[in-house]
């Protein structure tokens, strides 16, 4: 491969310097975008990571003079049960959301890939969950799950499944499941759109061949649809993982991280440390970990993608 | 190509350096006399019932002094973050209204100015309730003036409750007897975080324990009291998801016969629920009957270069005749005892009486109040969920001790 590249590089064509000049001019057009990203993304990111290595409280934020403490903040956080609890809850919440969103999105995609009366209207209605501002969606869920006048309790009482009031957001386990369900509810239409596109790309002749071989609907789904959807599925799962891992608003609005810290995921933990307890350094450790987890996952994803492309 | 990259890096560095400079020391606080004074607050905007009285008060000052004032409303949840970021960028307001409990931390960080010389010359500090005035002090200096005060008391539905309970034993029994058929005897906020710890802190104070002493006989007694009230139905388990507004709604709709809440809701109940029959009583007592102080202080930003005019506005806002008009519109109480008319409204008089027994964190605790109250709420949640009281208290005490550096 290297030899091929060497051959194509030499000898240099006569007009090469002019092409270079053209490239330079093209690249100058990128300058505003590069500067924008540098100022709005790279600088805050680097600043935040650097804070994780400094002793930063409110005083240092205002007056400066933060001391470098190396990995002391990391050691401090890694020694705190609350930090590991937040990381664990983040992973449970994220994986739960990914699974529920994917299953829900796939079910919707399988429904909406077929033509039927009212399909477009129903699809548009479903998209509302994705479009709705988070504050509206989260408050709808708070109302649905309210112990005294919530719709869920009314239905369950009507069916004779519960008696009295059940406070779903006041108990640790149900509260965690509730915020997962609310997040999956809002993400599922987005997953559906990508998966519908994936389904439409599966060649119909594969299904025809499977039918000729006598495959049942389930076997067609398992041996044709799922393998053909694999690249889209991985992309959907990775995107939902990243969205969910950094989700703050839905959880904060529904439970504020409670009850008793049962939904205090890493983003809420970082918020609490920084803006309620004013420990900016330990909050920076949490946000740095929040940065690393999806980054590592993305690297694995792109590597596997490249392997598939070269295979 | 290398030249382009180098040029890009140089320009990016220039922009970042410029951003760094902006973060280092610009000075836009007050400006010259022609610039309006800037006031930052979290009460509300001009269209909101919680914000309008402040705008009216400042408008009266503008009219009288001829000074322009620019009021900026920043919601409470964003307020401290915005204020500290602005201060770090050298771009804070002339006057900032900040929570009484945050004053010492803001002073220590250099967000606000030492007002001791102005206060000495003014000479009215003796008019303020000691607890309120104490919240303006840090390192022996005065960093603000109390703007107003608020206290928690017991609201009770007079159609259901003949006489408000005067002890916590009576409160438990009365609330239990009034519960049933979808109704609770008592409503109080118990939501995650500091807000939901107020009821427990009040109960601890009554039992003779400081809010920093959850793992003490008084702390245990307070947790057990809440456990008993939930078990008897006196208090709905749902209180763990209620903020103060939710507790008010429970009371306003008759789903709770009593509630512990601040004076904030007096006018709201009067306006929104004119048919509701209710009154207010001081908190039940045991060892004491202390309430939590809820208050804000008027401060001058460290970056303000128009301190004289800023102080002039603050002293105007604290004139007793202005407070007499302003405070009833805000549902709040004076932080000083020479404001006429406070005792004329019987409901406000009860809150004023309650304020005489207000608790506020001392200077060592103040910067960690949120953390301590959050730990108390966690203990409350655990106790209600079935964790034995000693275990819940011990766990919360460890968090509190770590926060205060006393572990």
């Amino acid at each position: 491969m290297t030899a091929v590249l060497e051959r194509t590089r030499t000898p240099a064509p006569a007009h090469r310097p002019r092409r270079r000049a053209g490239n330079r001019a093209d690249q100058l057009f990128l300058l505003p975008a590069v500067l924008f990203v540098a100022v709005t993304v790279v600088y805050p990111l680097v600043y935040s990571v650097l804070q994780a290595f400094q002793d930063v409280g409110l005083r240092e934020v205002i007056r400066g003079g933060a001391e470098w403490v190396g990995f002391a903040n990391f050691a401090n956080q890694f020694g705190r049960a609350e930090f590991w609890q937040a990381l664990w809850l983040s992973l449970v919440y994220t994986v739960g959301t990914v699974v529920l969103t994917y299953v829900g999105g796939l079910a919707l995609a399988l429904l909406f890939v077929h033509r039927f009366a009212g399909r477009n209207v129903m699809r548009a209605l479903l998209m509302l969950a994705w479009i709705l501002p988070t504050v509206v969606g989260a408050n709808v869920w708070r109302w649905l799950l309210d112990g005294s006048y919530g719709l869920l309790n009314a239905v369950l009482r009507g069916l004779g499944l519960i008696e009295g009031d059940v406070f779903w957001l006041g108990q640790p386990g149900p509260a965690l499941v509730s915020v997962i369900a609310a997040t999956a509810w809002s993400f599922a239409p987005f997953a559906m759109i990508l998966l519908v596109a994936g389904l439409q790309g599966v060649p119909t002749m594969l299904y025809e061949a499977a039918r000729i071989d006598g495959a049942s609907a389930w076997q067609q789904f398992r041996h044709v649809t799922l393998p053909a959807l694999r690249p889209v599925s991985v992309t959907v799962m990775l995107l939902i993982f990243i969205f969910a891992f950094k989700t703050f608003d839905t959880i904060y609005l529904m439970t504020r991280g409670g009850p008793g810290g049962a939904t205090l995921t890493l983003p809420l933990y970082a918020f609490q440390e920084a803006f309620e307890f004013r420990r900016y350094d330990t909050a920076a450790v949490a946000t740095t970990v929040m940065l690393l987890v999806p980054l590592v996952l993305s690297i694995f994803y792109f590597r596997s993608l490249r392997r598939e492309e070269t295979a | 190509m290398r030249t382009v990259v180098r040029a890009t890096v140089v320009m990016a560095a220039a922009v970042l350096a410029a951003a760094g400079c902006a973060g280092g020391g610009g000075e836009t606080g007050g400006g010259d006399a022609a610039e309006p004074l800037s006031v930052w607050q979290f009460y509300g905007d001009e269209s909101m019932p919680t914000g309008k009285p402040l705008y009216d008060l400042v408008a009266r000052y503008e009219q009288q002094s001829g000074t322009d004032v620019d009021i900026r409303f920043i919601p409470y949840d964003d307020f401290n973050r915005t204020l500290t970021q602005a201060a770090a960028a050298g771009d804070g307001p002339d006057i900032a209204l900040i929570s009484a409990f945050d004053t010492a931390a803001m002073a220590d960080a250099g967000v606000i100015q030492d007002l001791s010389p102005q206060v000495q010359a003014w000479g009215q500090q003796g008019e303020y309730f000691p607890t309120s005035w104490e919240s303006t002090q840090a390192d022996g200096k005065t960093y603000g003036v109390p703007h107003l005060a608020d206290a928690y008391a017991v609201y009770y539905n007079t159609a259901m409750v003949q006489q408000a309970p005067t002890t916590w034993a009576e409160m438990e029994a009365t609330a239990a007897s009034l519960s049933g058929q979808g109704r609770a005897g008592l409503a109080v906020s118990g939501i995650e975080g500091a807000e939901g710890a107020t009821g427990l802190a009040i109960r601890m104070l009554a039992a003779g324990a400081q809010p920093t002493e959850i793992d003490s006989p008084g702390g245990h007694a307070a947790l057990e009291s809440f456990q008993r009230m939930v078990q008897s139905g006196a208090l709905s388990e749902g209180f763990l998801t209620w903020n103060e507004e939710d507790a008010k709604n429970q009371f306003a709709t008759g789903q709770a016969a009593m509630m512990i809440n601040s004076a904030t809701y007096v006018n709201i109940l009067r306006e929104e629920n004119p048919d509701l029959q209710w009154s207010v009583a001081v908190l039940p007592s045991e060892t004491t009957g202390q309430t939590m102080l809820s208050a804000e202080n008027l401060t001058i930003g460290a970056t303000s270069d128009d301190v004289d005019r800023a102080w002039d506005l603050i002293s105007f806002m604290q004139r007793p005749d202005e407070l007499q008009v302003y405070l009833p519109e805000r549902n709040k109480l004076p932080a000083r005892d020479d404001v006429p008319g406070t005792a004329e409204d019987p409901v406000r008089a009860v809150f004023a009486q309650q304020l005489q027994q207000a608790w506020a964190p001392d200077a060592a605790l103040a910067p960690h109040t949120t953390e301590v109250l959050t730990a108390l709420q966690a203990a409350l949640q655990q106790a209600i969920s079935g964790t034995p009281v000693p275990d819940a208290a011990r766990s919360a005490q460890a968090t509190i001790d770590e926060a205060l550096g006393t572990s």
Side-chain angles (χ1 to χ4, degrees):
Chain A
M1 182 67 182
T2 314
V4 174
L5 284 175
E6 293 289 326
R7 274 203 303 277
T8 55
R9 277 181 193 152
T10 54
H15 59 274
R16 200 169 160 190
R18 251 179 44 204
R19 256 180 50 199
R20 260 190 173 180
N23 283 346
R24 274 183 204 161
D26 291 349
Q27 283 152 356
L28 275 174
F29 283 107
L30 290 175
L31 204 57
V34 170
L35 288 177
F36 180 77
V37 170
V39 172
T40 61
V41 179
V42 179
Y43 176 64
L45 203 68
V46 171
Y47 184 73
S48 170
V49 172
L50 289 179
Q51 279 201 332
F53 295 94
Q54 294 170 299
D55 183 11
V56 191
L58 181 61
R59 189 187 174 93
E60 287 74 24
V61 165
I62 305 297
R63 299 187 177 189
E67 281 179 31
W68 286 93
V69 292
F71 285 91
N73 291 330
F74 286 88
N76 168 286
Q77 285 302 288
F78 294 167
R80 288 191 84 202
E82 290 89 346
F83 174 82
W84 291 109
Q85 169 78 359
L87 182 60
W88 169 245
L89 281 174
S90 274
L91 292 172
V92 170
Y93 166 80
T94 305
V95 170
T97 302
V98 169
V99 171
L100 209 57
T101 304
Y102 181 76
V103 171
L106 185 59
L108 291 170
L110 289 169
L111 178 68
F112 284 107
V113 79
H114 300 293
R115 292 185 184 282
F116 57 89
R119 182 180 75 151
N120 291 341
V121 176
M122 277 183 70
R123 203 154 63 172
L125 283 174
L126 272 170
M127 286 308 294
L128 271 179
W130 173 248
I131 297 164
L132 268 183
T134 311
V135 64
V136 179
N139 279 322
V140 165
W141 276 88
R142 272 194 72 186
W143 170 73
L144 284 172
L145 299 169
D146 187 90
S148 305
Y149 47 82
L151 184 66
L152 179 66
N153 276 358
V155 171
L156 293 177
R157 269 194 295 264
L159 294 171
L161 294 173
I162 61 166
E163 284 179 15
D165 298 341
V166 178
F167 293 92
W168 302 100
L169 297 178
Q171 299 168 21
L176 183 58
V177 173
S178 299
V179 292
I180 289 172
T183 315
W185 169 81
S186 65
F187 288 168
F190 171 74
M192 176 192 76
I193 289 177
L194 297 183
L195 290 167
V196 163
L199 284 172
Q200 285 169 340
V202 182
T204 49
M205 63 185 215
L206 290 179
Y207 290 105
E208 285 162 14
R211 272 196 293 273
I212 289 166
D213 289 344
S216 65
W218 168 247
Q219 284 170 324
Q220 287 176 45
F221 173 73
R222 194 167 161 222
H223 298 292
V224 178
T225 309
L226 279 185
L229 275 182
R230 193 175 169 274
V232 183
S233 299
V234 173
T235 304
V236 167
M237 286 185 191
L238 181 78
L239 288 176
I240 300 298
F241 188 98
I242 292 170
F243 290 158
F245 197 73
K246 62 179 187 175
T247 294
F248 171 83
D249 40 15
T250 303
I251 307 174
Y252 186 79
L253 289 164
M254 284 179 69
T255 64
R256 291 197 194 180
T263 56
L264 194 78
T265 56
L266 217 46
L268 274 84
Y269 176 83
F271 175 84
Q272 193 179 60
E273 287 287 308
F275 300 117
E276 291 183 2
F277 304 160
R278 301 192 187 110
R279 292 194 290 242
Y280 299 97
D281 41 14
T282 52
V285 172
T287 52
T288 303
V289 172
M290 276 171 60
L291 182 72
L292 288 176
V293 172
L295 196 68
V296 169
L297 201 75
S298 304
I299 290 168
F300 278 116
Y301 168 66
F302 285 116
R303 275 194 176 170
S304 73
L305 211 64
R306 204 181 304 155
R307 264 202 304 274
E308 271 185 25
E309 280 169 2
T310 52
Chain B
M1 178 62 194
R2 204 179 294 162
T3 315
V4 173
V5 170
R6 207 180 297 151
T8 309
V9 169
V10 169
M11 284 191 71
V15 171
L16 291 179
C21 288
E27 193 83 2
T28 56
D32 56 55
E35 278 187 36
L37 275 177
S38 55
V39 176
W40 289 11
Q41 51 87 21
F42 49 78
Y43 287 164
D45 64 34
E46 209 168 354
S47 67
M48 297 159 74
T50 49
K52 189 174 181 303
L54 183 71
Y55 283 80
D56 292 344
L57 174 64
V58 171
R60 289 197 289 276
Y61 173 75
E62 285 179 301
Q63 203 170 18
Q64 181 192 293
S65 66
T67 299
D68 285 338
V69 182
D70 183 16
I71 304 178
R72 181 177 171 193
F73 162 55
I74 303 165
Y76 183 76
D77 287 346
D78 294 329
F79 191 84
N80 280 350
R81 181 172 54 81
T82 309
L83 183 66
T84 49
Q85 282 173 346
D91 196 19
D94 291 305
I95 294 176
L97 186 73
I98 58 179
S99 165
F101 299 170
D102 291 332
T103 307
M106 291 294 179
D108 179 60
V111 177
I112 53 178
Q113 294 196 21
D114 174 14
L115 300 180
S116 303
Q118 287 87 347
V119 167
Q120 284 302 323
W122 184 51
Q124 296 186 21
Q125 55 271 44
E127 306 294 342
Y128 288 81
F129 295 123
T131 313
S132 290
W133 191 258
E134 194 59 37
S135 72
T136 66
Q137 303 295 301
D139 297 330
K141 296 172 187 165
T142 303
Y143 283 88
V145 173
H147 177 49
L148 47 71
D150 200 354
Y152 289 79
V154 180
Y155 290 71
Y156 62 99
N157 187 318
T158 49
M160 301 178 197
V161 184
Q162 304 303 316
Q163 196 174 0
T166 55
T167 65
W168 273 97
E170 276 180 36
M171 170 61 95
E172 287 185 35
T174 310
S177 68
L178 290 165
S179 63
Q181 297 176 323
R183 189 179 67 207
L186 178 67
V188 62
S189 167
I191 197 167
E192 181 83 9
E195 184 177 348
T198 307
L200 178 64
I202 284 171
R203 183 68 185 87
M204 286 172 69
L205 288 165
Q210 289 293 298
T212 50
E213 302 167 342
I214 185 70
D215 196 13
S216 67
H220 289 208
L223 286 171
E224 285 161 4
S225 176
F226 272 86
Q227 261 185 345
R228 281 194 299 272
M229 287 196 286
V230 169
Q231 280 161 6
S232 69
L235 181 62
S236 164
E237 194 187 326
F239 89 102
L240 290 170
T241 63
W242 295 342
N243 57 26
E244 288 178 0
E245 178 82 14
D246 296 326
K248 183 270 293 179
N249 290 336
Q250 293 288 319
F251 181 72
T253 54
Q255 287 178 295
M258 296 180 282
M259 74 164 170
I260 294 175
N261 225 325
S262 74
T264 303
Y265 296 104
V266 171
N267 281 358
I268 293 171
L269 280 173
R270 283 174 176 165
E271 285 162 20
E272 291 181 358
N273 305 85
D275 298 331
L276 190 73
Q277 298 170 293
W278 58 277
S279 189
V280 176
V282 292
L283 291 167
S285 64
E286 213 167 76
T287 305
T288 70
Q290 281 185 292
T291 187
M292 290 275 283
L293 176 73
S294 169
E296 287 87 49
N297 293 329
L298 289 163
T299 64
I300 296 184
T303 56
S304 171
D305 53 7
D306 205 351
V307 177
D308 291 343
R309 284 199 308 159
W311 175 256
D312 193 47
L313 173 53
I314 287 177
S315 50
F316 174 86
M317 291 168 82
Q318 282 303 298
R319 280 168 41 174
D321 56 331
E322 289 297 336
L323 289 171
Q324 185 184 5
V325 178
Y326 168 72
L327 291 171
E329 291 174 4
R330 275 284 294 133
N331 282 321
K332 297 288 181 183
L333 306 163
R336 49 193 294 165
D337 58 10
D338 59 350
V339 178
T342 305
E344 286 166 17
D345 180 332
V347 169
R348 287 167 52 75
V350 171
F351 278 104
Q353 184 190 343
Q354 183 70 70
L355 194 61
Q356 301 287 342
Q357 292 191 75
W359 175 89
D362 60 21
L365 171 59
H368 306 287
T369 309
T370 308
E371 213 168 337
V372 168
L373 293 178
T374 301
L376 290 187
Q377 193 280 339
L380 181 62
Q381 199 283 327
Q382 286 178 3
I384 301 301
S385 296
T387 304
V389 162
D391 294 347
R394 199 178 310 119
S395 166
Q397 191 66 54
T399 307
I400 291 168
D401 291 344
E402 189 188 344
L404 298 177
T406 52
S407 55

